[in-house]
Amino acid sequence: MRVIALKALREFWETHPNARQQLQSWYEDAKHAVWQSPSDINAIYRNASIVANNRVIFNIKGNDYRLIVAVNYRFGIAYIRFVGTHAEYDRIDATQI
């Protein structure tokens, strides 16, 4: 997958260093992945939640943080839409961000 907005991940782990290793691992996995459907993601990330508008919610660091990605399966692109704390996540609509 081509991951768009790596900068958002980098900025987040600079302010939340305890999330760095897991976000970097997710990025490495994602950039080498070939996700053609939501089931491809769930085969690797069993706790990922697939929601409307091709959004996928990943739990980061034991659910302390959330990562929302919009996936364009046809073109092989994963757009970082949100990375934040669980409390910040609770204040947004994952399907619209």
Side-chain angles (χ1 to χ4, degrees), residues 15 17 21 34 41 65 93 95:
T15 58
Q21 188 277 327
V34 180
I41 296 171
Y65 305 110
D93 180 352
T95 65

Side-chain angles (χ1 to χ4, degrees), residues 25-83:
S25 292
W26 178 88
Y27 173 74
E28 287 299 317
D29 289 347
K31 79 176 186 177
H32 292 103
V34 180
W35 296 330
Q36 297 179 338
S37 70
S39 62
D40 292 339
I41 296 171
N42 280 134
I44 298 168
Y45 296 98
R46 297 193 190 284
N47 291 328
S49 299
I50 310 297
V51 296
N53 293 332
N54 291 322
R55 300 300 196 266
V56 183
I57 303 165
F58 296 93
N59 297 323
I60 303 297
K61 197 180 170 299
N63 208 22
D64 288 346
Y65 305 110
R66 293 283 177 97
L67 170 64
I68 301 175
V69 178
V71 180
N72 184 317
Y73 298 100
R74 182 176 175 203
F75 294 106
I77 301 172
Y79 300 92
I80 306 296
R81 303 298 298 155
F82 171 86
V83 60

